[in-house]
């Protein structure tokens, strides 16, 4: 039997479960790596300058007949204490063949680098298993006011099969030293 999310799950602790998605059972492994050597682990902090270009996102545990959709979203806009613009969409890639990386998929919404202004923002990568190779996905009309749950519903994606998030805050001259 598959295990349900346990309270010490970093996605629950970081309130990704709740704010962005509902509890789910991971069924594949996803690794997200920036600049070929900085892997994303739940809750780790990156400087925005370190995540300015899109990461390599690898899917482990799918097969060549399965296809995945990757969504990257920021639920802390404009700031975590009052995220009334939740969520801001950063990236969507669809039709990623299982056992490959996102560069083999179709970039539906181009990668946009994190630009947190107020406070510490969470940047969440969600991986969904597609029921089939979907040539047409509803493309969000705006990056602002994005809703991962609604997007998954609208595109018949079901719950995520993997998720990971990192934190970032605005870089100041002092912090760059």
């Amino acid at each position: 039997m598959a295990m349900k999310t346990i309270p010490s799950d970093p996605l629950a602790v970081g309130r990704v479960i709740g704010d962005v998605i509902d509890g789910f059972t991971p069924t594949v492994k996803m690794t997200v790596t920036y600049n070929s050597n900085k892997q994303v682990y739940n809750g780790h902090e990156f400087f925005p300058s370190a995540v300015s270009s899109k990461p390599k996102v690898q899917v482990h545990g799918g097969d060549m007949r399965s296809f995945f959709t990757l969504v990257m979203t920021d639920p802390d806009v404009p700031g975590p204490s009052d995220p009334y613009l939740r969520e801001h969409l950063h990236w969507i890639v669809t039709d990623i063949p299982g056992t490959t990386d996102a560069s083999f998929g179709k970039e539906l919404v181009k990668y946009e680098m994190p630009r947190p202004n107020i406070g510490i923002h969470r940047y969440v990568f969600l991986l969904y298993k597609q029921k089939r190779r979907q040539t047409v996905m509803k493309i969000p009309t705006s990056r602002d006011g994005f809703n991962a749950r609604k997007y998954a519903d609208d595109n018949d994606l079901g719950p995520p099969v993997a998720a990971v998030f990192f934190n970032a805050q605005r870089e100041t001259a002092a912090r760059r030293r």
Side-chain angles (χ1 to χ4, degrees), residues 25-40:
T25 305
T27 53
V28 300
K29 192 168 159 14
M30 165 178 66
T31 53
V32 179
T33 313
Y34 279 96
N35 308 323
S36 75
N37 65 353
K38 291 185 168 70
Q39 189 175 333
V40 173

Side-chain angles (χ1 to χ4, degrees), residues 13-83:
V13 174
R15 293 198 330 276
V16 168
I17 290 170
D19 289 351
V20 184
I21 51 173
D22 300 320
F24 72 102
T25 305
T27 53
V28 300
K29 192 168 159 14
M30 165 178 66
T31 53
V32 179
T33 313
Y34 279 96
N35 308 323
S36 75
N37 65 353
K38 291 185 168 70
Q39 189 175 333
V40 173
Y41 293 100
N42 284 319
H44 282 211
E45 188 172 336
F46 286 106
F47 288 124
S49 56
V51 293
S52 59
S53 53
K54 64 184 167 194
K56 184 176 175 115
V57 178
Q58 289 168 292
V59 179
H60 315 269
D63 59 55
M64 289 315 283
R65 290 185 311 281
S66 47
F67 292 93
F68 297 88
T69 292
L70 174 73
V71 171
M72 178 186 177
T73 183
D74 170 3
D76 297 315
V77 188
S81 59
D82 184 18

